[in-house]
Amino acid sequence: MLKVERLSKSYGSGKIKAVDNIDFHVKPGEIFGFLGPNGAGKTTTIKMIVGLLKPDSGTILINGVDNQNEVIKAKRQFSYVPDDHELFEKLKGIEYLNFLADVYGVDQDTRSGDMIRYLKMFEMEKAVNDPIASYSHGMKQKIVLIGALLNDPPIFILDEPMVGLDPKSSFNLKELMKERCSQGKSVFFSTHVLEVAEKLCDRVAIINKGKIIAQGSMEELKGGAADKESLENIFLELTE
Amino acid sequence: MKETLNLTKMLLSANFGFSKMAYDVKNDPKKLGMPLLVLFVFASMIPVYVLYMKLLKSIYLQLFVLGQEGTVFAILFSGASIIVLFFGMIYAMSTYYFSKDLDRLLFLPLKEESIIMAKFINMIIYEYLIIIPLVLPAVIIAFEDMGGILYLIYFIVGALLVPVIPLSIGTMLVMALMKFINLEGKKDMLRTISMFAILIVILGIQLLINKAATSIPPGSEAEFLEAMLRNENSMVNMVGKSYPPAIWISKALYGSSTLLGAGNFLLYVAISIGFGAAMIRVGRKFYIEGYFNRGDMTSKRSKVDYNDEIRARRIWQSIFLNDMRIVMRTPVYLFNCVSIVVLLPVILIMMPLLSGTGEMDIFTGLYVGNEKLFALILIGVFVFVAGTNPTQSTTVSREGSASWINMVLPIRKKDMFIGRLLFPLLLQSAAMVFFIIGIYFIIKPGIATVVISFIGGFFASLPVIAFGLIVDTWRPKLDWDDPQKAVKQNMNVIFNMLGAILYVLGVGFGAYALIFKVGLAIEVIIAFIIILGVVLTGAEYKLFKNIG
């Protein structure tokens, strides 16, 4: 579903290697966690996948579509929730959602049904007719999430999705992730919350200093590390 | 004071982006290109500056013959102060009310006066960029006749204090205005109305000053001349009438070796300090207290009608609507992008008309018998107007940190190009209509002239607007914390304007040669300009498609 091969990216005319020749493969129906300490290269990798950064080398196939050669087609295969929820502050929530649905070509009936469902689920009905500028951090995150769910893409890409969400919304999001995977779609997300990754993910990859230092299912990772108790211990040991 | 200076330094660094620029250049030497380009743009203005110095020297010499050489200071200092007042009010609005940095400063253990003063010094330093080049030549030109250590000290201190009084007045007016209109919920709308009100007040003041400062009562010309020849530097009082501090500093400069000069200098310094202190007091009362009393973020939630609000549109329509909504709902964008459409015709046509000067007769003389040529010239003016509007050259920049949305969405270049062109085109059409209405007050152009100039202006403006869009897509200014910076500190606006000037000059020279050397009919030239506009826009679209 998402195939990343020999992906590299450097900054400062090649002096700083943010992402160094990484490979991973997110399969259909899988929740894939992307872990790593601050500045490890998680967001850079995600930005290359969604088309916000150009890789120096390597390929990214999203549902079989090369995101460098067939840009628009590749962008139709995913929806993205970034870690910072910077939005068009002067638009109303409903205008932002309509805009996304227009771009993805979601028809009137489908968008109507989905919007009402997700607005209710994330308790945003009362706020959706107000300017985004009046939203709290968590509300902005919810409106981005709802927007990303409207086009029902094969792969859902999220950067630190749990930060800022209230417990109920966080629970709902996790349920939605599982629901999508049961339909054969995939979820790829980065997180610092290791407990979430441990409970939710089918497989994880750990990135440190631009390189993938471990990857596999929870069992595989535990099998390869000295301390077999928790993902936290494995993470700390590997990223020392 | 140390606290204020530290804060000033930090705000300056943040506003000018020195630290970020140094980091970028250190990590990627290619990023040095932009600062160098800015330097190049400034360097290209040196010939114009040399011309300005020569003009000033010639004015000084002529005034010297009449024994009125001190008037040059009055002209410069009062002129500079009016410029500061004009831009200062708008700038004060941005510095104190649109910038969000107060949120990040108020919780720090800083004195409120330090915050107000540091922001004020920041504005003063920005004003120096205009004021210093404007007044500096005078010190050199007059040095031979008036020079001396006191003259130099008076000039340096005088020039550095130029922005203080007008900026204090402007800031206090803005703060008072914002205090009284700071009502719940409707802040943005009221801000916009207040900005237009400020501009109308400024234009009104300018109109009155023009009339008061330049007119000699009918029948008293002889007395005026006699008085001027009898008393040395008597014109200083007349020219500085609209702005007394300019009289004080002028008297201090041309009488720098006398006690009267010292007295005037001290008066000028004392009044400047007085205004600065008053501004800080007003700032504490109106600005800081106003911040705590604001209530625009607690507006009541309004219910949504799903049947009405959920509506499918084409992608380009959606992009156009977003673009328009963001501009219309952000006061600073509305002011800079939309107001120009109404104000430019007013400033260019109505102001000279209301001032009662004779420029309009030239306008009428040009039109009669030359209707087609007039339409051609009008097309040129329209293209220039299109180039001066920042709407297209800041379209991506205005999205700032939210620009990721359009970048990750599957939007075809065609939809993006059309969607982003529509709003600037709509504004340009409105600008042309307002311009034609303005002209109608003076010369009553025929319907053919109106139609030809409108259609010609529309198609000739197309490539200029598309050029602005391309420049801003290619190098958007996304890194800002205050929407003002996306428009006011965006070099793309200058590039678009320069592009428009070059285009008008190029097509203008071509048209001149084809009409007067080759003998082609003006109708043919206008048809050619329309075709050229369409072809160039097509070529620009191909270029747009290739921007990553």
Side-chain angles (χ1 to χ4, degrees):
Chain A
M1 191 64 86
L2 172 65
K3 206 169 191 179
V4 169
E5 287 177 334
R6 298 182 305 282
L7 191 67
S8 292
K9 177 76 186 173
S10 350
Y11 295 116
S13 302
K15 276 184 252 170
I16 307 157
K17 281 216 158 190
V19 174
D20 190 3
N21 205 27
I22 64 168
D23 296 89
F24 60 85
H25 183 195
V26 181
K27 293 169 191 156
E30 188 173 67
I31 300 182
F32 193 96
F34 197 44
L35 318 178
N38 293 331
K42 296 189 297 293
T43 298
T44 302
T45 305
I46 292 178
K47 282 186 172 176
M48 284 190 280
I49 294 170
V50 299
L52 286 173
L53 279 175
K54 280 205 177 302
D56 295 339
S57 60
T59 51
I60 299 164
L61 296 175
I62 307 171
N63 202 17
V65 183
D66 188 328
N67 81 342
Q68 298 301 302
N69 296 330
E70 293 179 272
V71 180
I72 301 292
K73 198 175 169 193
K75 284 179 178 177
R76 291 204 160 276
Q77 311 307 316
F78 67 84
S79 58
Y80 167 57
V81 179
D83 57 344
D84 53 348
H85 310 293
E86 300 285 357
L87 293 164
F88 303 127
E89 300 266 316
K90 295 291 171 181
L91 293 190
K92 294 175 182 179
I94 190 84
E95 289 168 347
Y96 171 72
L97 296 179
N98 265 321
F99 170 64
L100 290 186
D102 287 338
V103 169
Y104 285 107
V106 183
D107 64 64
Q108 182 82 29
D109 291 342
T110 315
R111 81 170 67 181
S112 203
D114 284 354
M115 267 190 211
I116 294 168
R117 177 191 171 205
Y118 295 127
L119 284 170
K120 265 187 192 156
M121 181 184 283
F122 289 103
E123 294 172 334
M124 284 292 289
E125 286 170 292
K126 285 180 185 162
V128 74
N129 205 26
D130 292 321
I132 293 172
S134 68
Y135 291 2
S136 68
H137 181 82
M139 287 159 88
K140 283 182 188 171
Q141 193 172 359
K142 287 183 198 175
I143 208 83
V144 178
L145 260 172
I146 296 169
L149 288 162
L150 288 179
N151 67 319
D152 194 24
I155 182 154
F156 200 27
I157 300 170
L158 308 100
D159 198 357
E160 296 289 352
M162 306 301 169
V163 179
L165 281 185
D166 54 60
K168 191 177 172 192
S169 300
S170 186
F171 171 79
N172 282 334
L173 175 61
K174 285 182 246 175
E175 290 304 303
L176 275 171
M177 285 179 170
K178 288 178 198 160
E179 182 189 309
R180 300 182 69 77
C181 290
S182 67
Q183 294 162 357
K185 293 163 189 159
S186 308
V187 176
F188 173 78
F189 76 103
S190 77
T191 185
H192 279 124
V193 190
L194 299 175
E195 291 80 7
V196 172
E198 195 165 14
K199 283 182 189 154
L200 204 62
C201 296
D202 299 304
R203 287 192 308 135
V204 297
I206 300 174
I207 185 169
N208 191 27
K209 292 174 188 163
K211 286 179 185 289
I212 298 229
I213 50 172
Q215 137 167 232
S217 66
M218 224 47 72
E219 288 313 308
E220 284 166 347
L221 285 186
K222 284 176 184 176
D227 189 327
K228 298 185 182 181
E229 280 178 10
S230 71
L231 182 60
E232 188 176 30
N233 288 337
I234 299 167
F235 181 86
L236 290 173
E237 197 177 298
L238 290 169
T239 55
E240 277 272 301
Chain B
M1 199 61 203
K2 199 181 161 198
E3 183 178 279
T4 307
L5 290 178
N6 276 338
L7 193 56
T8 307
K9 211 173 111 190
M10 191 274 288
L11 288 175
L12 271 177
S13 179
N15 287 338
F16 281 98
F18 290 137
S19 306
K20 169 99 175 25
M21 199 194 298
Y23 174 83
D24 284 349
V25 171
K26 193 179 155 202
N27 284 304
D28 190 357
K30 274 185 246 161
K31 295 208 167 146
L32 194 62
M34 195 26 68
L36 287 178
L37 191 64
V38 173
L39 273 182
F40 177 75
V41 169
F42 279 109
S44 65
M45 289 175 186
I46 287 175
V48 180
Y49 194 60
V50 171
L51 263 179
Y52 167 69
M53 287 173 78
K54 281 186 178 165
L55 177 76
L56 212 59
K57 172 109 187 168
S58 127
I59 291 172
Y60 177 76
L61 288 175
Q62 286 176 37
L63 288 167
F64 192 82
V65 174
L66 295 169
Q68 304 290 338
E69 65 274 16
T71 312
V72 81
F73 301 122
I75 295 171
L76 283 179
F77 281 93
S78 61
S81 303
I82 288 167
I83 291 174
V84 172
L85 185 66
F86 186 89
F87 290 109
M89 286 176 92
I90 295 164
Y91 196 44
M93 184 80 96
S94 158
T95 305
Y96 287 99
Y97 291 95
F98 294 148
S99 168
K100 288 178 185 163
D101 52 12
L102 202 57
D103 296 339
R104 285 168 236 149
L105 294 174
L106 267 183
F107 66 85
L108 294 171
L110 294 167
K111 286 191 212 96
E112 290 169 354
E113 299 93 291
S114 302
I115 297 173
I116 298 165
M117 210 143 83
K119 280 174 165 266
F120 191 71
I121 296 173
N122 249 270
M123 288 201 293
I124 286 182
I125 290 170
Y126 265 99
E127 297 292 350
Y128 285 157
L129 295 177
I130 306 170
I131 299 307
I132 302 290
L134 199 70
V135 299
L136 193 65
V139 73
I140 306 157
I141 292 166
F143 191 78
E144 211 176 302
D145 305 312
M146 304 176 187
I149 187 78
L150 270 180
Y151 167 77
L152 268 183
I153 293 173
Y154 288 178
F155 195 94
I156 293 168
V157 176
L160 291 177
L161 289 180
V162 164
V164 176
I165 298 175
L167 213 48
S168 298
I169 296 171
T171 308
M172 285 190 284
L173 276 176
V174 165
M175 283 175 175
L177 202 72
M178 293 305 279
K179 162 84 181 171
F180 294 115
I181 62 165
N182 207 1
L183 305 170
E184 244 174 77
K186 299 285 175 203
K187 204 173 185 177
D188 275 356
M189 193 185 78
L190 289 162
R191 272 175 178 169
T192 309
I193 294 169
S194 67
M195 278 201 285
F196 281 98
I198 286 173
L199 206 70
I200 289 164
V201 168
I202 292 169
L203 287 175
I205 292 170
Q206 181 64 23
L207 203 73
L208 290 175
I209 288 171
N210 269 355
K211 286 203 161 174
T214 55
S215 63
I216 301 161
S220 56
E221 291 87 355
E223 288 104 87
F224 165 74
L225 275 175
E226 194 210 344
M228 191 180 84
L229 294 170
R230 195 175 53 232
N231 305 318
E232 272 191 17
N233 288 316
S234 56
M235 260 173 81
V236 166
N237 286 324
M238 208 184 78
V239 172
K241 189 163 72 174
S242 57
Y243 186 65
I247 301 177
W248 306 329
I249 189 65
S250 304
K251 284 184 176 169
L253 287 169
Y254 69 71
S256 57
S257 52
T258 66
L259 211 60
L260 188 73
N264 273 297
F265 175 72
L266 289 176
L267 180 66
Y268 177 78
V269 173
I271 299 286
S272 297
I273 293 171
F275 266 93
M279 191 282 301
I280 292 170
R281 278 190 77 91
V282 170
R284 282 197 67 173
K285 188 79 193 148
F286 287 173
Y287 175 58
I288 303 285
E289 279 184 20
Y291 174 85
F292 291 114
N293 295 334
R294 72 204 169 131
D296 61 335
M297 284 302 153
T298 52
S299 58
K300 279 179 191 167
R301 301 279 177 218
S302 49
K303 260 190 109 177
V304 62
D305 177 356
Y306 290 118
N307 290 331
D308 204 36
E309 297 284 348
I310 300 178
R311 195 181 306 159
R313 290 187 180 87
R314 289 171 193 275
I315 300 177
W316 59 263
Q317 283 175 331
S318 230
I319 293 167
F320 157 69
L321 274 179
N322 268 6
D323 200 27
M324 187 172 74
R325 281 168 176 156
I326 291 172
V327 171
M328 301 303 275
R329 291 174 190 175
T330 314
V332 67
Y333 297 156
L334 181 69
F335 190 68
N336 285 293
C337 300
V338 183
S339 67
I340 196 172
V341 166
V342 187
L343 289 173
L344 208 64
V346 170
I347 292 165
L348 291 181
I349 299 169
M350 301 307 277
M351 285 299 283
L353 195 72
L354 291 172
S355 304
T357 48
E359 289 95 337
M360 292 303 123
D361 300 334
I362 307 167
F363 221 42
T364 318
L366 185 75
Y367 178 68
V368 177
N370 293 304
E371 288 83 1
K372 288 172 194 165
L373 190 64
F374 185 81
L376 190 63
I377 293 169
L378 208 53
I379 291 172
V381 174
F382 287 158
V383 175
F384 177 73
V385 169
T388 54
N389 193 315
T391 312
Q392 64 274 2
S393 51
T394 59
T395 176
V396 184
S397 300
R398 286 194 300 267
E399 288 171 1
S401 46
S403 62
W404 66 270
I405 298 168
N406 281 323
M407 288 182 195
V408 300
L409 292 177
I411 301 172
R412 289 180 311 159
K413 294 278 184 179
K414 191 176 157 191
D415 288 316
M416 191 58 97
F417 192 73
I418 296 172
R420 284 199 191 271
L421 271 190
L422 275 178
F423 187 51
L425 269 177
L426 190 72
L427 289 178
Q428 172 65 4
S429 305
M432 291 193 292
V433 169
F434 279 113
F435 226 98
I436 290 168
I437 292 172
I439 287 171
Y440 204 80
F441 280 108
I442 310 158
I443 53 170
K444 311 260 183 300
I447 187 78
T449 312
V450 169
V451 172
I452 290 171
S453 55
F454 184 87
I455 296 174
F458 183 87
F459 285 102
S461 307
L462 260 178
V464 168
I465 293 172
F467 176 67
L469 166 60
I470 288 175
V471 172
D472 200 51
T473 308
W474 177 51
R475 51 175 306 282
K477 183 184 169 71
L478 302 172
D479 198 9
W480 47 258
D481 53 357
D482 167 9
Q484 173 98 351
K485 290 181 187 170
V487 180
K488 283 287 178 197
Q489 292 177 20
N490 195 336
M491 285 301 287
N492 297 346
V493 178
I494 308 286
F495 292 142
N496 196 190
M497 208 184 293
L498 289 175
I501 292 170
L502 285 177
Y503 180 59
V504 171
L505 287 179
V507 175
F509 279 122
Y512 175 82
L514 289 171
I515 296 165
F516 296 105
K517 308 272 179 201
V518 183
L520 274 180
I522 295 175
E523 291 91 329
V524 177
I525 303 293
I526 292 176
F528 172 74
I529 288 172
I530 291 173
I531 296 166
L532 181 71
V534 175
V535 171
L536 275 178
T537 311
E540 285 174 320
Y541 170 61
K542 284 194 175 152
L543 195 66
F544 179 81
K545 281 210 292 192
N546 291 321
I547 301 175

